[in-house]
Amino acid sequence: MTNSDDAALPVSATTERRVRWVSLAGRPLASLVAGDLVEARARSGLDLPGFFVSEQARRLWRDRFDQVTADPASAPWVARAAVSEPDGAVVGYAGYHGPPNEDGMVEIGYTVVPEARRRGYARAMLRSLLVRAAEEPDVHVVRVTISPDNAASLATIRGFGFVEMGEHVDEELGLGIIHEVPAGRVLGI
């Protein structure tokens, strides 16, 4: 995005942000995998930022496309655009790595586009993901894995009750610290 696009985003980080989710499953996801931003915008009905076709994002879209192709029931859990309310700017993407496993655990992931960072959107996305998890009867635990070098994400989860549970090494991403929280914590249940 250009600097003029940045002006459309709210500047104050003191305001509690809100996001709504728009699924990218189906044709928007296929367009993102192909790196076709124009088609992805048309298919999703959103003004998706260029970051959605960055190499980082396209790796995720390929993984999620393969996942949804193999297991269509996972589609409601993955690949969503985060849209700021009430202004309607696309500020990131997030979702769960899939439906809850046999132990009732879901893992979340979220990314804020560079031009919207440090404005409270990661916190709003995290809160929204936790609320949805708490509302799902089959979800008991929410997990997030964060690089020990990602101070911003570590600060974002602070205050939500996440507890460090161990480490995981990913071939592409390297070392990640696993954090978990009971699913009902954000709703006080």
Side-chain angles (χ1 to χ4, degrees):
M1 282 192 174
T2 64
N3 288 337
S4 64
D5 291 329
D6 291 354
L9 294 171
V11 176
S12 171
T14 60
T15 305
E16 185 71 29
R17 301 289 182 209
R18 290 182 310 131
V19 293
R20 68 178 167 88
W21 301 106
V22 176
S23 175
L24 297 172
R27 290 185 173 169
L29 187 56
S31 300
L32 290 168
V33 169
D36 189 341
L37 186 60
V38 172
E39 185 68 16
R41 286 174 173 162
R43 297 287 187 178
S44 68
L46 298 171
D47 186 16
L48 301 171
F51 187 77
F52 273 56
V53 291
S54 67
E55 188 51 41
Q56 171 189 335
R58 288 183 66 202
R59 250 189 327 270
L60 173 69
W61 304 138
R62 280 189 294 274
D63 290 347
R64 295 303 176 233
F65 182 83
D66 291 346
Q67 177 182 2
V68 170
T69 300
D71 178 16
S74 68
W77 292 90
V78 301
R80 296 166 179 255
V83 180
S84 174
E85 288 297 329
D87 65 326
V90 178
V91 295
Y93 50 83
Y96 306 88
H97 291 209
N101 68 14
E102 61 279 352
D103 296 324
M105 187 274 294
V106 291
E107 185 162 0
I108 59 173
Y110 53 92
T111 299
V112 178
V113 297
E115 57 271 15
R117 290 182 181 156
R118 305 196 57 79
R119 298 183 183 188
Y121 291 114
R123 184 173 173 76
M125 292 163 67
L126 177 59
R127 177 176 295 286
S128 181
L129 289 166
L130 290 170
V131 166
R132 172 162 182 224
E135 292 171 344
E136 292 286 337
D138 293 335
V139 176
H140 306 294
V141 174
V142 178
R143 172 180 287 176
V144 63
T145 303
I146 301 173
S147 166
D149 299 332
N150 190 339
S153 282
L154 292 169
T156 298
I157 68 168
R158 204 171 295 126
F160 283 97
F162 281 92
V163 175
E164 188 175 317
M165 301 299 289
E167 298 177 349
H168 171 74
V169 178
D170 181 275
E171 289 180 19
E172 290 183 31
L173 303 175
L175 177 65
I177 308 300
I178 300 168
H179 299 82
E180 293 182 349
V181 65
R185 180 169 171 99
V186 75
L187 297 181
I189 52 177

